[in-house]
Amino acid sequence: MDDAKTEPSAPPTDGMGHVTAKLPVGQADVAAGLAEVRAAIARAAEDSERDPATVQLVAVSKTVPAEGILPALKAGQRVFGENYVQESVAKWPDLRARYPDVELHLVGPLQSNKAREAVALFDVIHSLDRLSLAAALAKEIDRSGRTPKLLIQVNTGAEPQKGGVLPDQLDTLLSECQETHGLAIQGLMCIPPAEDPPSAHFALLARLAKAHNLPILSMGMSADFPAAIQLGATHVRVGTAIFGARTRKA
Ligand SMILES: *Cc1c(COP(=O)(O)O)cnc(C)c1O
């Protein structure tokens, strides 16, 4: 690559090679951010003697308009995460028509009344956290014949405002999903409390997944994905470090 022409291509880093991407959505160099994140994933995997190919990058494109997502698609990224069903329904059908092999993940909270749209659009749903939602998803899965992979979100910090089942209620929710609704659960997801060091939460989630024989561990975001990879993440959900800082809260 011709450095002179692509400059300024390096996203801001924190001095340890972690992208801090302070430029806003729309101004960030998406291809450079993506390359940096991929390199950091490979380093973290190799540091813990894991094959980098066992870590999937879910590029979280919430609030990023279609024009801002295109550079990531052009750079070969195919796995994307979104938070809002409505926003995804507006953005993704057109992008998918151009890139049919896109895999779409719902990482944000899901209301039961959006279960139909979510099952129709998403390949993986990370935020199953209650029995009523399991019932709504099971109904739509039966009706549509589509079978998105399902992860249970665990509220590892027991934060009242946050989605996710409490760790001590995971057992019950898992068996009810499986026995009452015939839903195969593939893994667990968590979002550690902003003020806590994340590693204890990642370790807890990894322990819970192992205890229940669940292969997928969705953990780690822009600020902490290397730590999540060291603790066994199979999917890291990275937005800001690729697309830039979001202006509206999401
Ligand atoms: C927004 C979001 C992300 C990405 O967060 P960044 O800090 O921008 O990398 C990951 N997971 C969930 C559930 C999110 O809502």
Side-chain angles (χ1 to χ4, degrees):
M1 242 212 238
D2 183 345
D3 281 332
K5 276 190 196 136
T6 53
E7 184 260 324
S9 64
T13 63
D14 63 4
M16 294 172 64
H18 300 155
V19 179
T20 51
K22 298 203 172 70
L23 289 170
V25 162
Q27 286 175 41
D29 184 336
V30 171
L34 188 58
E36 183 61 36
V37 168
R38 284 180 178 153
I41 288 172
R43 278 197 302 275
E46 279 154 14
D47 282 352
S48 34
E49 297 183 347
R50 296 184 56 195
D51 176 357
T54 62
V55 183
Q56 280 245 27
L57 170 60
V58 180
V60 177
S61 50
K62 64 186 173 197
T63 85
V64 181
E67 316 84 78
I69 298 173
L70 276 171
L73 286 161
K74 288 182 180 145
Q77 180 66 26
R78 289 296 180 272
V79 182
F80 291 86
E82 290 283 349
N83 275 53
Y84 308 101
V85 174
Q86 252 21 71
E87 180 187 339
S88 308
V89 167
K91 278 191 325 204
W92 280 99
D94 284 354
L95 289 169
R96 247 191 184 157
R98 296 174 64 182
Y99 295 91
D101 55 343
V102 155
E103 184 180 298
L104 218 48
H105 293 230
L106 180 65
V107 301
L110 177 58
Q111 294 170 280
S112 295
N113 64 10
K114 301 262 169 59
R116 178 166 300 189
E117 285 170 295
V119 167
L121 188 65
F122 291 99
D123 302 295
V124 185
I125 294 173
H126 292 229
S127 49
L128 173 51
D129 63 355
R130 58 198 189 278
L131 200 57
S132 56
L133 180 57
L137 288 170
K139 184 170 154 226
E140 292 309 325
I141 286 168
D142 280 349
R143 202 189 55 82
S144 66
R146 277 186 51 86
T147 52
K149 286 186 181 161
L150 300 175
L151 314 186
I152 289 183
Q153 182 177 349
V154 182
N155 189 354
T156 55
E159 295 172 281
Q161 82 286 4
K162 199 165 270 176
V165 65
L166 293 172
D168 64 3
Q169 287 162 23
L170 174 63
D171 268 14
T172 310
L173 181 59
L174 261 173
S175 56
E176 286 175 334
C177 282
Q178 282 155 0
E179 283 149 33
T180 313
H181 296 292
L183 291 175
I185 304 298
Q186 313 269 346
L188 302 178
M189 179 271 244
C190 77
I191 309 170
E195 65 282 2
D196 277 15
S199 289
H201 298 272
F202 297 153
L204 170 60
L205 198 72
R207 197 153 48 71
L208 291 170
K210 189 164 185 217
H212 292 284
N213 247 326
L214 300 169
I216 298 182
L217 258 184
S218 166
M219 56 191 199
M221 314 193 343
S222 291
D224 54 23
F225 68 87
I229 290 168
Q230 281 174 10
L231 290 161
T234 62
H235 290 64
V236 293
R237 312 177 309 267
V238 181
T240 311
I242 297 170
F243 296 105
R246 295 176 292 271
T247 46
R248 72 178 157 90
K249 192 186 177 301

